[in-house]
Amino acid sequence: MSSNAARVAGRHFLQIPGPTPVPDRILRAMDMPTIDHRGPEFQKLGKRVLEGMKTVFKTANPVIIYPASGTGAWEAALANVLSPGDKVLMFETGHFATLWRNMAIKLGLHPIFIESDWRIGADADALEARLREDKAHEIKAVCVVHNETSTGCISLIPEVRKAIDNAGHPALLMVDTISSLASIDFHHDEWGVDVTVSGSQKGLMLPPGLSFNAVSDKALAAAKTSTTPKLFWSWEEQLPHNEKGYFPYTPGTNLLYGLAEAIDMLHEEGLDNVFARHDRHAEATRRAVRAWGLEVLCREPKYYSSSLTAVLMPEGHDADAFREKTLNHFDMSLGTGLTKLSGRVFRIGHLGDTNDLTILGALSGVEMGLSVAGVPHKKGGAQAAMDYLADCARGTLSAAA
């Protein structure tokens, strides 16, 4: 049965910073009959993904999987280790850090929110200074977004861990990796993270619908004294079932088939190669932005994201009007500006199952879109990216160049 809409030839370019395009191989892996989630066939799948996700988070400790979006994993992280009235220290990296703060308030926690202009990652010095002031150790956790999806700024988690240690503070370190896991290198154990939050629909190349908590021994100990009400999110409910390869509720079976395939794909490419690929595409994108004469929102190079690039619009030009023109003429979706950045930025996603030609196609679409929308810019951004990627292929440049 046909619709009245005209068919658009070719593939849609989904260049938002998540959900990302789902590879055919993962779609085929998910295309399986539903099975008994209490039976032996599922047990093999359960053990496979529960163990496999440890290798992605780089942890020897449990990784808990929920049939939920990243918002669910946020709530699980807070609810399992904290109690109403607890203070949590957070840094305003952008829209998603703000949403996590708002959730903390709803759960009866008392967030201390260090404000910023949304153009940097979490300032480790500012976090350390605030922790040093907390002589009574009333702050129970430090919550940081590793990659702020609204701004294209990363936070340097080893620096945050060092800040907590320098302050001699016992606070838990909780990190959101929803738009960085499997795109930007992350070490749950080595970096001393207590709870890492993530989701399925970005670097893991899956549809939305799965979320994760990686947990440390310290976090598991804290969970024993938490008084926040919980059942679905409870680690205590989950872990005994997980040890046997099962879940205490009906899991997202077909998404788990896809997750098993995604884990295999990441390791077939090699995680270091995955991260280098993301670094390369991020640098190609920034070179294109600079060649257009536009400005990357992230102010300091040490905070540059390899998952996405947020681009400031010239004064007097609306980012959403440009995005609409680009979608209508070139069938490409770009990320919108969120809350404080609404209409001021557009975001180019370069994470997930993306190769050099895909990112060049996307940057060509952006350049054509700027022209069609009448946005002042210089020509040659796509060419600058092409030159860079060709140099990388010849081995004359690296992603860090």
Side-chain angles (χ1 to χ4, degrees):
M1 185 175 179
S2 63
S3 68
N4 293 324
R7 176 182 177 269
V8 178
R11 73 185 265 301
H12 174 70
F13 270 68
L14 184 65
Q15 297 301 144
I16 62 175
T20 62
V22 180
D24 287 346
R25 185 170 155 185
I26 290 178
L27 291 171
R28 298 291 77 79
M30 293 168 56
D31 185 13
M32 295 286 286
T34 302
I35 61 172
D36 175 10
H37 59 284
R38 306 293 182 207
E41 184 181 351
F42 180 87
Q43 184 180 42
K44 293 177 185 176
L45 174 63
K47 287 183 175 180
R48 181 180 170 191
V49 295
L50 288 163
E51 287 300 312
M53 283 307 297
K54 293 180 183 181
T55 68
V56 181
F57 282 98
K58 299 185 178 179
T59 181
N61 267 40
V63 175
I64 295 153
I65 304 175
Y66 298 100
S69 69
T71 303
W74 273 352
E75 183 164 341
L78 296 174
N80 274 283
V81 299
L82 300 170
S83 301
D86 283 350
K87 293 181 179 179
V88 291
L89 181 60
M90 299 172 136
F91 194 93
E92 187 193 13
T93 47
H95 175 77
F96 291 98
T98 303
L99 289 181
W100 205 7
R101 185 276 307 265
N102 294 346
M103 176 185 282
I105 294 170
K106 294 281 188 180
L107 292 175
L109 304 171
H110 295 290
I112 300 163
F113 206 42
I114 299 177
E115 296 181 354
S116 85
D117 64 0
W118 291 28
R119 300 193 67 178
I120 58 170
D123 184 334
D125 291 339
L127 291 169
E128 181 177 337
R130 185 61 186 83
L131 290 170
R132 288 184 182 277
E133 294 173 6
D134 181 34
K135 303 296 185 185
H137 294 166
E138 294 179 343
I139 294 169
K140 301 304 180 184
V142 176
C143 298
V144 173
V145 176
H146 183 215
N147 185 79
E148 178 57 68
T149 322
S150 64
T151 67
C153 297
I154 65 164
S155 295
L156 305 176
I157 303 306
E159 291 190 4
V160 175
R161 176 73 264 172
K162 185 178 178 182
I164 298 171
D165 294 344
N166 287 347
H169 203 287
L172 295 160
L173 174 56
M174 305 171 72
V175 179
D176 167 350
T177 66
I178 290 171
S179 61
S180 60
L181 190 74
S183 302
I184 301 170
D185 199 7
F186 185 83
H187 299 255
H188 176 87
D189 286 357
E190 182 183 334
W191 292 353
V193 181
D194 294 300
V195 186
T196 303
V197 170
S198 203
S200 59
Q201 73 276 21
K202 297 181 187 279
L204 289 172
M205 306 174 287
L206 290 161
L210 295 178
S211 61
F212 310 89
N213 280 176
V215 298
S216 72
D217 289 339
K218 183 178 176 181
L220 290 170
K224 294 183 184 301
T225 60
S226 166
T227 62
T228 301
K230 52 195 166 287
L231 176 65
F232 181 81
W233 305 120
S234 171
W235 299 343
E236 185 181 20
E237 293 286 332
Q238 280 259 35
L239 288 172
H241 294 269
N242 288 172
E243 287 174 4
K244 300 173 184 177
Y246 296 112
F247 294 80
Y249 42 68
T250 306
T253 307
N254 287 60
L255 280 170
L256 295 178
Y257 278 123
L259 178 60
E261 194 71 20
I263 294 167
D264 286 350
M265 291 171 67
L266 289 168
H267 288 302
E268 287 168 19
E269 184 176 355
L271 286 175
D272 288 345
N273 293 327
V274 170
F275 303 140
R277 171 167 56 82
H278 282 77
D279 292 344
R280 185 170 72 248
H281 295 159
E283 178 60 22
T285 300
R286 291 190 293 267
R287 289 183 180 224
V289 172
R290 288 192 287 266
W292 292 322
L294 301 180
E295 186 178 357
V296 174
L297 178 69
C298 184
R299 192 172 57 239
E300 297 182 26
K302 74 174 183 175
Y303 296 124
Y304 281 159
S305 167
S306 289
S307 293
L308 74 139
T309 300
V311 184
L312 279 163
M313 290 294 282
E315 195 69 33
H317 291 268
D318 181 67
D320 291 334
F322 153 71
R323 289 175 53 253
E324 183 179 10
K325 292 275 190 184
T326 303
L327 176 61
N328 290 342
H329 288 280
F330 306 113
D331 196 23
M332 179 167 68
S333 296
L334 297 166
T336 187
L338 298 169
T339 48
K340 287 184 181 182
L341 298 174
S342 178
R344 296 178 52 210
V345 306
F346 64 93
R347 295 174 296 148
I348 304 170
H350 35 72
L351 73 164
D353 190 41
T354 300
N355 62 22
D356 288 6
L357 293 183
T358 303
I359 198 63
L360 285 174
L363 295 173
S364 296
V366 172
E367 188 159 339
M368 290 188 292
L370 292 170
S371 180
V372 169
V375 178
H377 69 287
K378 301 173 184 176
K379 300 295 184 184
Q383 184 65 56
M386 189 185 305
D387 291 343
Y388 167 74
L389 291 173
D391 285 340
C392 288
R394 284 192 291 266
T396 56
L397 276 180
S398 68

